[in-house]
Amino acid sequence: MSFTPFFTALFAHHGGFGLNLNPLDTNLINLVIVIGVLVWFLRGFLGGILERRRQAILADLSDAEQRLQSATAALTQAQQDLAAARQKAEQIRQDGQARAHAVRVDSQQRTIEEMARLKEDATADLKAEASRVTALLRREAARQAIEQALASLPAKLDETAQARLIDQSIQNLGNA
């Protein structure tokens, strides 16, 4: 008993969908042959294209990996350089602060020394002026005393007193 005519008759009479299981009638053999030929011929062609594409993708991945490694190395080096630069900047800042402090202390010390020197100079000038004025006053007092003594001397000094004074002065000179 063949099921093919039965199914064919069943579906054909109703005018709808039908299933044709006859391989010669449905071109199933032709389709298998065409697909087999396509697979056999295109396998080499598509395989080559796919292999080249795979090689290109692998090369791109390898290149990207190498660039990633070099970028990572460059980043690491840049971070080290940045850390070194920050350390150097901090050292420069500390040196600058130390220099500024030293300059400020030195300037204050020089100012104090200069003020002390000026004070000493002013004191020395004051003492010198006081000595000069004192000497001037002494000379003036002595001059006035001598003038007064010379003015009053002729009236008080007679010849005997004058001789006695001269003798006494000579004797004082001889003892000295």
Side-chain angles (χ1 to χ4, degrees), residues 86-100:
R86 283 184 179 162
Q87 185 178 13
K88 183 71 174 176
E90 180 62 25
Q91 182 65 36
I92 289 170
R93 186 185 67 78
Q94 289 175 355
D95 289 347
Q97 286 178 342
R99 266 193 232 114

Side-chain angles (χ1 to χ4, degrees), residues 8-18:
T8 310
L10 179 69
F11 290 118
H13 289 291
H14 293 292
F17 178 72

Side-chain angles (χ1 to χ4, degrees), residues 1-172:
M1 195 173 194
S2 171
F3 287 97
T4 309
F6 172 74
F7 284 115
T8 310
L10 179 69
F11 290 118
H13 289 291
H14 293 292
F17 178 72
L19 220 166
N20 187 3
L21 297 177
N22 185 357
L24 295 175
D25 209 16
T26 59
N27 280 331
L28 188 61
I29 296 174
N30 289 340
L31 284 175
V32 169
I33 291 172
V34 168
I35 290 173
V37 169
L38 283 175
V39 167
W40 187 69
F41 280 116
L42 292 179
R43 181 178 25 187
F45 177 70
L46 287 177
I49 290 174
L50 290 175
E51 181 62 26
R52 284 191 299 274
R53 182 67 184 145
R54 186 177 77 80
Q55 291 297 329
I57 290 171
L58 287 176
D60 288 346
L61 286 175
S62 175
D63 183 46
E65 186 177 309
Q66 287 176 353
R67 284 185 287 156
L68 174 64
Q69 288 175 353
S70 66
T72 303
L75 176 63
T76 303
Q77 182 64 37
Q79 287 173 339
Q80 290 173 352
D81 291 347
L82 177 62
R86 283 184 179 162
Q87 185 178 13
K88 183 71 174 176
E90 180 62 25
Q91 182 65 36
I92 289 170
R93 186 185 67 78
Q94 289 175 355
D95 289 347
Q97 286 178 342
R99 266 193 232 114
H101 179 71
V103 166
R104 185 175 33 252
V105 168
D106 185 48
S107 177
Q108 288 173 349
Q109 185 65 32
R110 280 189 280 156
T111 301
I112 290 170
E113 290 172 357
E114 186 64 23
M115 289 172 62
R117 188 186 64 75
L118 288 175
K119 185 177 179 181
E120 288 174 3
D121 288 349
T123 304
D125 287 347
L126 184 62
K127 285 181 182 177
E129 188 64 23
S131 295
R132 187 185 68 76
V133 168
T134 303
L136 184 64
L137 287 174
R138 281 186 187 156
R139 273 185 276 164
E140 186 61 30
R143 187 187 59 75
Q144 285 179 355
I146 291 173
E147 282 179 3
Q148 284 178 356
L150 287 177
S152 67
L153 191 63
K156 291 183 181 181
L157 203 59
D158 60 1
E159 256 184 61
T160 10
Q162 202 175 21
R164 218 179 30 219
L165 182 63
I166 291 174
D167 288 339
Q168 192 179 21
S169 293
I170 292 173
Q171 192 177 24
N172 283 340

